Amino acid sequence: MTASALRAILASGRVTHVPGVYDPVTAALAVAAGHRAVHLSGAAVSATMLGRPDLGFVHATQIADRASTLVPALDGIPLIADADTGYGNPLHAVWTALAYSRAGIAGLHLEDQVSPKRCGHLAGKEVIGIGEAAAKITALADQAPQMVVIARTDAYSILGLDETIVRCRAYAEAGADAVFPEGVDTLEELTRISAAIPGVPIVVNRSEAGGERPALTDAELAAAGVRIVLHPVAALLAAMRAASLAYRAIADRGTAEPVDRMPWAAFTALIGQDEALDLDARYVPKGLQT
């Protein structure tokens, strides 16, 4: 069901903004805010699980394990997850997609960097050959057809727009449901990509790691073929900022009162405390009820 909902988003004529979530609480917050899809970033998992940067420390198993804790809080909202390079060759990419599917992930994005990968906004990236990258996509389309496959290319900052267009076309022909030209930001360049692959949805990234970006409206993005805009770490950075202020206030003043915080009652409602207590009370043996 969630994969079909994600495919409907890609097939629409509008832009959907997809925020990053990284635990069940943030997943519930995204649902409460009305989002139609959410994203699980490898960078977010690496930071929150390991305290490490996005340099290939996290593997498919860890992404799938984290996703399995998010899905129950999503109430049927599709989850898109970072699959890095597929963690190996086409065989490994298929295993990754199947593990993601079992965890409840609706779609993944697979990139054409060498392994171990680097954060898409860092220098020093390298990409594999088009044929090798396309083979992974074909394998996913054949062996995991239930998974929505978003083919990401990191060629733009290394080889330029023309090579990016060639790769987007090849990956769409290999069976990708959408393409993700990392680093392409301007309306002119997005329009050129869309014209080269008519009808193929485009996904773009609005990570704070990329610095200042052109201010494009949703109408402009939609006209250029963009259907999903990812915001992978916005909520994580906001949470880290709020937490840092609370810790500093406690250290300096002995209280977090100056810091804006969610009320405790709102927090317990978010995590379903009342429902859990009602369920608990329903099954307490009659002789033990007070």
Side-chain angles (χ1 to χ4, degrees):
M1 180 179 70
T2 56
S4 61
L6 181 55
R7 287 193 167 92
I9 288 171
L10 292 171
S12 73
R14 58 177 283 192
V15 168
T16 297
H17 290 271
V18 177
V21 299
Y22 52 91
D23 60 20
V25 174
T26 54
L29 286 170
V31 172
H35 285 285
R36 302 171 62 210
V38 296
H39 178 260
L40 179 60
S41 159
V45 174
S46 189
T48 59
M49 178 181 287
L50 304 175
R52 303 299 297 162
D54 187 19
L55 294 173
F57 291 102
V58 169
H59 199 272
T61 302
Q62 291 161 302
I63 299 286
D65 285 348
R66 178 61 63 92
S68 69
T69 71
L70 306 182
V71 169
L74 289 175
D75 195 26
I77 300 301
L79 173 63
I80 303 169
D82 190 349
D84 282 352
T85 63
Y87 307 99
N89 63 22
L91 179 67
H92 302 113
V94 168
W95 185 93
T96 294
L98 295 176
Y100 279 22
S101 182
R102 289 192 295 270
I105 294 168
L108 58 78
H109 53 81
L110 183 76
E111 61 203 54
D112 57 3
Q113 284 195 46
V114 300
S115 185
K117 57 79 56 85
R118 297 173 71 86
C119 172
H121 301 286
L122 290 177
K125 295 182 297 181
E126 298 178 61
V127 291
I128 61 178
I130 294 177
E132 185 180 354
K136 296 182 187 181
I137 296 164
T138 299
L140 294 187
D142 288 347
Q143 300 300 318
Q146 74 281 8
M147 180 64 61
V148 177
V149 178
I150 300 168
R152 170 175 149 173
T153 177
D154 284 74
Y156 178 74
S157 64
I158 308 166
L159 302 171
L161 182 63
D162 288 343
E163 177 68 11
T164 299
I165 291 172
V166 169
R167 286 176 178 251
C168 285
R169 184 185 295 116
Y171 301 161
E173 291 173 351
D177 296 283
V179 296
F180 179 175
E182 174 60 38
V184 179
D185 289 317
T186 69
L187 183 60
E188 177 186 1
E189 291 180 329
L190 288 168
T191 301
R192 280 190 58 189
I193 293 174
S194 183
I197 49 171
V200 178
I202 296 173
V203 175
V204 297
N205 190 6
R206 287 295 176 265
S207 172
E208 286 80 353
E212 294 294 325
R213 301 292 187 84
L216 302 179
T217 67
D218 283 2
E220 289 172 325
L221 290 168
V226 175
R227 296 296 175 261
I228 287 177
V229 178
L230 299 176
H231 302 264
V233 293
L236 174 61
L237 295 178
M240 293 302 100
R241 174 62 174 163
S244 71
L245 293 175
Y247 290 133
R248 176 50 56 193
I250 293 169
D252 291 346
R253 307 185 187 190
T255 177
E257 284 302 320
V259 180
D260 186 28
R261 289 155 292 147
M262 175 180 283
W264 179 254
F267 175 71
T268 57
L270 184 69
I271 60 175
Q273 177 173 288
D274 289 344
E275 293 87 343
L277 290 174
D278 288 344
L279 187 64
D280 182 58
R282 185 186 308 173
Y283 297 108
V284 172
K286 286 185 170 51
L288 297 178
Q289 291 177 343
T290 59

